[in-house]
Amino acid sequence: VAGGAAVEEPGDVGVLEPRQDLPLPQEALEDLAAGAAAADQFQGDLLLELKPQQMVAGMAAFGVAHLFYGAAFAGFFRRGQTGVAGLMLAGLVLTVSILLLCWFWPEMGVLRFPGAGYQAIITGMVILAMLSRAPALAKAGAALFMLSDTLIAFDLYKGIDPPRGSVWITYATAQILLA
C-alpha cells in the first residue's frame, strides 16, 4: 500500500489504531483512584452515622479513601520536580501531625492504634499532595481534609468542640477541591 496507509476491505480484521479522544492511561488511573476514594468516603460517612457508631470501621473506610487519593497524587510526580515550597509544606504537615498525635495520645484510649494508623495514612496523603505537581486546588483539598479530621479529633480526644459547622464546611470544601 502506497504511503504505508492500510486499505480496509470488507471482512478484514485490520489493526486497531489508538483512539485520541480517550484519556491517557495515567489520567484514567488518577480519575479511577479519585472515584474509588469518593466511594470509600461515602462508606466511611455511613459507618459513622450508624447507631452505635462504627468508629474503627469508619476510620478504616476513610483510610482506604486516603490511600486512593495518595495514589492519585503519586500520578502527578515528575522526577526531580519537587520544589522547595512543596518540601517545606510536606515538612510542616509531618511536624504538625506528629505534634498533634503526641498531644492526643494520652486521651485516645481504645482508638489509640486505629487513630494513629489513620493519622499516618492521611498525613502521608497530604505529604504526597504537597510534594506532587498536582493542581494547587487539589493540594488545598488534601490539606482541608486533614483540617476537618483534626477538628473531629479535637472533639473526640480532647473534648474541644470545633466551631459550629466547621467540620462539614472543611469536609465538603475538601471533597469539591479533590474532585
Side-chain angles (χ1 to χ4, degrees), residues 2-47:
V7 176
E8 290 188 19
E9 298 291 327
D12 280 355
V13 175
V15 176
L16 294 177
E17 294 292 326
R19 290 184 52 184
Q20 299 301 317
D21 60 331
L22 295 177
L24 297 173
Q26 185 60 43
E27 291 169 340
L29 291 174
E30 292 161 7
D31 291 345
L32 181 62
D40 283 316
Q41 288 171 356
F42 172 75
Q43 182 182 9
D45 283 331
L46 181 64
L47 289 164

Side-chain angles (χ1 to χ4, degrees), residues 22-76:
L22 295 177
L24 297 173
Q26 185 60 43
E27 291 169 340
L29 291 174
E30 292 161 7
D31 291 345
L32 181 62
D40 283 316
Q41 288 171 356
F42 172 75
Q43 182 182 9
D45 283 331
L46 181 64
L47 289 164
L48 295 179
E49 290 301 317
L50 293 176
K51 301 296 181 212
Q53 191 178 51
Q54 303 297 308
M55 182 61 74
V56 174
M59 281 185 189
F62 277 105
V64 170
H66 294 306
L67 291 173
F68 279 119
Y69 277 133
F73 283 119
F76 285 96

